[in-house]
Amino acid sequence: NDDRGIEASPARNIEIKNLTIRNIYRYSGAGSDGVGRGININGGSNVRIHHNTIHDSQRGILFQLGGGVAPSSGNAIYNNVIYNNSWNIGYAAGDLNVSDDGAEIHDNDLGVQPLWCTGASDFYHNEALHVFTQTGSNNTITHLNVFNNFVHGQVCPLGAAMNYTALLKFSADIVPAKIEANIFNNLLVV
């Protein structure tokens, strides 16, 4: 299914806090039958997402920059407990010509687990945090700070999946697209 716990499109100057979002999408271990999201932001600036518990959705939080909001700045995702998702947090410059500056992702408890490993097809990535730019764009994410996160669990085995996975994954697809990030004081345990 493609359900959402919270959807904001576009989102400016909003706060999402103190919620439990669960069982939006429970993966059965077979196929690519849905992309349920706990919180889905499609275009946003000065958005704060904090003190939430999100579990059992395909993507815990997906923050897609663009969506008619440009430039974007002041976004923060912090103090959340997120687990049993394929991506716990996705932060993406998904439209063309998107610029984002000064976002912070910090003090989250992110648990990953191998349920989402789908083998050679790897429809689902299995990352605690995935920051990326859209292919073929000149999108920029600058001054991103990722710190004090506790990331734990097990990612898909390397070679078992087409799209390699990591606990923290950053991918700016094509120059001139770029991601400039400070990543510090995170605890990663597998």
Side-chain angles (χ1 to χ4, degrees):
N1 67 33
D2 294 328
D3 293 337
R4 273 69 165 153
I6 302 250
E7 172 113 15
S9 179
R12 291 180 180 91
N13 304 312
I14 69 166
E15 184 173 34
I16 300 170
K17 66 178 182 176
N18 299 328
L19 300 173
T20 297
I21 301 171
R22 61 189 178 111
N23 300 329
I24 297 297
Y25 174 72
R26 302 214 43 178
Y27 184 58
S28 65
S32 57
D33 57 350
V35 289
R37 297 170 183 154
I39 297 173
N40 190 71
I41 306 294
N42 186 18
S45 189
N46 196 32
V47 174
R48 305 268 186 232
I49 302 171
H50 62 94
H51 293 93
N52 299 292
T53 299
I54 303 167
H55 63 87
D56 293 292
S57 61
Q58 197 269 330
R59 296 176 180 153
I61 297 171
L62 179 59
F63 199 126
Q64 302 173 87
L65 300 161
V69 178
S72 177
S73 65
N75 299 312
I77 301 170
Y78 59 95
N79 288 337
N80 298 288
V81 176
I82 308 172
Y83 59 95
N84 284 357
N85 306 293
S86 175
W87 297 358
N88 288 326
I89 299 173
Y91 196 79
D95 279 346
L96 298 176
N97 304 313
V98 171
S99 65
D100 179 67
D101 187 65
E104 293 188 341
I105 300 171
H106 63 88
D107 294 292
N108 296 290
D109 181 338
L110 306 174
V112 297
Q113 45 78 39
L115 169 66
W116 293 90
C117 298
T118 56
S121 67
D122 192 29
F123 180 81
Y124 299 108
H125 297 261
N126 194 24
E127 292 101 19
L129 171 64
H130 188 183
V131 177
F132 65 97
T133 61
Q134 180 72 32
T135 301
S137 71
N138 51 339
N139 295 338
T140 61
I141 298 174
T142 54
H143 303 106
L144 170 65
N145 290 302
V146 177
F147 61 95
N148 292 347
N149 295 291
F150 175 43
V151 183
H152 51 94
Q154 180 182 349
V155 297
C156 300
L158 205 56
M162 184 186 308
N163 294 315
Y164 297 119
T165 57
L167 293 174
L168 304 178
K169 182 176 181 176
F170 299 81
S171 55
D173 293 324
I174 296 175
V175 173
K178 69 178 175 179
I179 298 170
E180 296 174 355
N182 297 306
I183 304 160
F184 59 95
N185 294 346
N186 297 285
L187 177 59
L188 311 177
V189 179
V190 290

